[in-house]
Amino acid sequence: MPANQTRSRVRERNNVLNRPEFMSLNQPLKSGSGEARGTARRPPQRQQSQNQQGANAQHESPENNKERKELPEEDCMQLNPSFKGIAMNSLLAIDICMSKRLGVCAHTTSSWGSVRSMVKLLALTGHGIPWIFGTIVCLTRSNTLAGQEVLVNLLLALLLDVMTVAGMQKLVKRKGPWEMPPSFLDYLAMDIYSFPAAHASRAVMVSKFLLAHLVLAVPLRILLVLWAVLVGMSRVLLGRHHLTDVGCGFALGFLHYTLVEMVWLSSNTCQTLISIGTFNWSPLY
């Protein structure tokens, strides 16, 4: 027995793992201590990124947060656009492209720049100021009750057209296909924006009104309809309106004519308005 004990002691002394520097290898690892050492040595990257994001969010001012919340809808990308939205955007793109191509008289250097003055003269015939001024002059020269009745209603229709188109243009604020400053007459008639086309609306309303209340020969009736169409198209050729602007202007002019026919002023009412306008009204006699 003593010999065996001495042999075992000698083996333990000669074993390399029993040396002091290797004693930790014989001890079992503690899970808690290992994890603590690992976390102490290597902090997780996720926690670091979250801490940095939290610090950045605290440093951000409330103004930046408001700007993010109040982003316009045009800057937001629609991942799932509807079929209606795609169709509308496609039609608007086609409208803008075709309107720019048809603006052949937009500038003197355009392809049809040589006839720009003639096209401008044609468009001037559908301007609101000449029609209002001309109607007032004819009203002062008219001596018949029937003629004054027609002229007063025409004047009211022209004023209705100018005010309605100006209000719609102010609401929509659509610009024309070519950037052009409005003229002096456009400012007077409040025809500044593109939608709807005031000249087209006025031309259709006047032509429909004259066809209904004047006795004209067939060639003159055809020329009157052709004049209304050419006035609307002249604005497209000059680059002032889109095709859709002119189309909506045509529809709006027909609507104005329908409204005027519905609220047609009688001859007595027209005479009262004329007397008020000429300061000859005497309601007590």
Side-chain angles (χ1 to χ4, degrees), residues 39 42-54:
T39 54
R42 299 179 181 177
Q45 296 180 356
R46 293 182 180 178
Q47 292 181 359
Q48 289 180 357
S49 62
Q50 292 177 358
N51 294 332
Q52 290 178 358
Q53 292 178 359

Side-chain angles (χ1 to χ4, degrees), residues 6 8 111 136 139 153 206 235:
T6 55
S8 61
S111 58
I136 294 174
L139 185 59
N153 284 277
V206 169
R235 302 293 287 176

Side-chain angles (χ1 to χ4, degrees), residues 123-139:
L124 184 62
T125 59
H127 205 281
I129 299 301
W131 273 101
I132 293 175
F133 182 75
T135 304
I136 294 174
V137 171
C138 293
L139 185 59

Side-chain angles (χ1 to χ4, degrees), residues 140-154:
T140 57
R141 300 290 183 90
S142 179
N143 296 323
T144 61
L145 296 179
Q148 291 176 356
E149 179 183 353
V150 172
L151 290 172
V152 168
N153 284 277
L154 177 60

Side-chain angles (χ1 to χ4, degrees), residues 55-75:
N56 294 330
Q58 292 178 358
H59 289 298
E60 286 183 353
S61 61
E63 296 179 357
N64 295 333
N65 295 331
K66 290 182 180 179
E67 290 179 357
R68 289 182 178 180
K69 292 179 181 179
E70 297 177 357
L71 284 175
E73 296 181 358
E74 295 178 355
D75 296 339

Side-chain angles (χ1 to χ4, degrees), residues 202-232:
R202 194 170 305 110
V204 168
M205 188 270 296
V206 169
S207 63
K208 186 68 176 174
F209 189 94
L210 295 179
L211 288 174
H213 297 283
L214 294 182
V215 179
L216 300 174
V218 176
L220 292 178
R221 299 174 73 89
I222 295 174
L223 287 177
L224 194 57
V225 174
L226 184 61
W227 166 79
V229 176
L230 291 178
V231 167

Side-chain angles (χ1 to χ4, degrees), residues 95 99 102 165 169 174 177 193-204 227-254:
D95 177 37
S99 301
L102 290 175
V165 173
Q169 287 186 358
R174 186 186 188 187
Y193 296 100
S194 176
F195 182 89
H199 289 67
S201 173
R202 194 170 305 110
V204 168
W227 166 79
V229 176
L230 291 178
V231 167
M233 291 305 300
S234 66
R235 302 293 287 176
V236 178
L237 297 177
L238 292 172
R240 299 300 300 268
H241 293 286
H242 301 85
L243 290 173
T244 52
D245 302 337
V246 175
C248 292
F250 287 155
L252 189 61
F254 186 80

